[in-house]
């Protein structure tokens, strides 16, 4: 569908892209002098109530997230029976564009994945599994200081964790999706950890974790270590391969754990095992005092006995 030339104070500029369910357009807010993106549901789906509901639920999820690393939604509406929502415009394209010139430098990959991980963690705190994290869904937007901000986008296949255990529809992109997504069994946030790892592997090596369709997920295997296929420091190998483990129980437990391990690898440090916390000074002191009391009591008792 070609949206109208004007949507209220918004003026249509160009079409950004189109997919199976929706088309995204670039508009300009003349009053605020700012570009925005408008996502409109495709004509052939606009009459399907269930699809419209899912489309609007995506807008609601993005609105609730309200994060610097998740696409923000500013408004929703309807044009000639077709629902749309107004959202952030990513003027630098997507992470997929960075792969046009081959592998991305490790320090840049760590920055990109750390930002993406922050956005994914926000969605997880809201009970949402993205389920289709890939370079095309990690948008890039310029910042006032000349930097680049990563925005997690396209939640069209996202679903609340509360209902994920009953999921039967296979969704996602096979080259990045977790093996358990192909079986239709219950998912948790570690499916998104796998996808982040797959994106990181692709960025670092220029190679996909796996080729082929859904069938390639039936007997998943780990890819070669990144340092074996590209000039990548070996410190990244264990971190990436753990994120890509076929069994969710063997992966990093969440996005922050994974990205923290990546930063440690970049600094040449051995990542601390997930779920293991270093004891604070308080518990150490209490334990030491307890040992001293026991030793003192034993010595005192022995002295009394010998008198």
């Amino acid at each position: 569908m070609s949206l109208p030339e004007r949507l209220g104070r918004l003026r249509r500029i160009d079409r950004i892209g189109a997919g199976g369910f929706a088309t995204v357009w670039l508009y300009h807010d003349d009053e605020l002098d700012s570009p925005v993106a408008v996502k409109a549901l495709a004509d052939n789906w606009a009459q399907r109530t269930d699809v419209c509901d899912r489309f609007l639920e995506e807008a609601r999820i993005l609105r609730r997230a309200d994060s610097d690393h998740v696409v923000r939604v500013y408004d929703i509406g309807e044009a000639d029976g077709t629902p749309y929502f107004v959202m952030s415009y990513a003027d630098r394209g997507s992470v997929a564009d960075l792969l046009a010139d081959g592998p991305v430098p490790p320090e840049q990959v760590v920055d990109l994945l750390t930002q993406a991980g922050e956005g994914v963690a926000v969605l997880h705190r809201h009970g949402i599994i993205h389920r289709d994290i890939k370079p095309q869904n990690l948008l890039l937007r310029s910042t006032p200081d000349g930097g680049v901000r990563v925005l997690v986008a396209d939640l069209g296949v996202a679903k609340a964790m509360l209902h994920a255990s009953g999921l039967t529809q296979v969704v996602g992109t096979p080259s990045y999706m977790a093996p358990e997504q192909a079986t239709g069994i219950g998912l948790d946030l570690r499916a998104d950890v796998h996808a982040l790892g797959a994106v990181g592997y692709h960025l670092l090596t220029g190679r996909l974790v796996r080729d082929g369709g859904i069938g390639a997920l039936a007997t998943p295997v780990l890819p070669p270590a990144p340092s074996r296929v590209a000039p990548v420091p070996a410190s990244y190998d264990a971190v990436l391969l753990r994120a890509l483990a076929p069994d969710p129980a063997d992966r990093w437990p969440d996005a922050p754990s994974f990205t923290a391990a990546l930063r440690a690898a970049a600094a040449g440090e051995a990542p601390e095992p997930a779920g293991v916390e270093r004891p604070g000074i308080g518990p150490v002191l209490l334990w030491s005092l307890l040992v001293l009391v026991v030793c003192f009591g034993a010595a005192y008792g022995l002295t009394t006995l010998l008198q």
Side-chain angles (χ1 to χ4, degrees):
M1 173 188 178
S2 178
L3 286 176
E5 189 72 28
R6 299 199 69 93
L7 290 172
R9 67 176 189 241
L10 306 181
R11 175 170 48 87
R12 194 183 71 205
I13 303 297
D14 199 4
R15 190 175 76 167
I16 298 174
F21 283 90
T23 301
V24 181
W25 298 82
L26 172 62
Y27 274 73
H28 191 269
D29 187 327
D30 289 334
E31 291 188 25
L32 295 178
D33 190 23
S34 175
V36 294
V38 178
K39 185 172 184 177
L41 191 60
D43 284 342
N44 55 319
W45 293 110
Q47 306 307 313
R48 285 274 302 271
T49 302
D50 57 336
V51 177
C52 288
D53 289 345
R54 189 176 76 172
F55 181 79
L56 293 176
E57 181 60 18
E58 177 184 3
R60 296 185 187 103
I61 292 170
L62 293 171
R63 180 76 174 195
R64 289 196 300 269
D66 192 26
S67 166
D68 286 342
H69 295 292
V70 177
V71 167
R72 281 191 167 97
V73 167
Y74 306 117
D75 197 8
I76 61 172
E78 187 177 290
D80 297 327
T82 298
Y84 67 84
F85 57 83
V86 183
M87 59 186 183
S88 313
Y89 171 57
D91 62 312
R92 301 286 289 272
S94 73
V95 168
D97 299 322
L98 302 178
L99 287 162
D101 298 323
V104 177
E107 61 275 10
Q108 186 178 1
V109 173
V110 172
D111 177 52
L112 293 170
L113 289 184
T114 295
Q115 293 191 56
E118 290 182 20
V120 169
V122 169
L123 295 176
H124 289 171
R125 288 197 292 272
H126 283 272
I128 299 299
I129 307 170
H130 189 290
R131 297 192 294 148
D132 196 21
I133 295 169
K134 56 186 177 181
Q136 294 86 345
N137 288 342
L138 300 177
L139 307 184
L140 303 175
R141 184 176 186 178
S142 299
T143 60
D145 60 0
V148 176
R149 180 174 298 155
V150 178
L151 305 176
V152 178
D154 200 352
L155 307 185
V157 297
K159 192 176 183 71
M161 288 182 191
L162 182 64
H163 304 293
S165 59
L167 183 65
T168 57
Q169 181 185 12
V170 176
V171 292
T173 304
S175 295
Y176 304 97
M177 65 193 285
E180 62 267 25
Q181 288 180 252
T183 65
I185 63 174
L187 307 176
D188 62 26
L189 51 83
R190 290 171 295 184
D192 287 344
V193 171
H194 180 285
L196 285 172
V199 171
Y201 188 92
H202 194 181
L203 290 173
L204 284 170
T205 67
R207 292 176 49 171
L208 294 170
V209 167
R210 67 182 67 87
D211 295 312
I214 295 294
L217 295 167
T219 55
V221 295
L222 283 173
S227 65
R228 290 176 53 192
V229 296
V232 177
S235 58
Y236 290 93
D237 289 350
V239 177
L240 266 296
L241 293 181
R242 179 173 176 178
L244 296 170
D247 186 342
D250 295 331
R251 295 178 203 146
W252 299 102
D254 50 39
S257 298
F258 169 49
T259 56
L262 273 180
R263 292 193 298 274
E269 303 170 1
E272 193 166 328
V276 177
E277 296 181 2
R278 295 176 181 174
I281 188 65
V284 171
L285 283 176
L286 287 174
W287 178 253
S288 300
L289 286 173
L290 179 60
V291 171
L292 285 173
V293 168
V294 171
C295 291
F296 177 80
Y300 180 81
L302 182 59
T303 302
T304 303
L305 185 62
L306 293 175
Q307 286 180 347

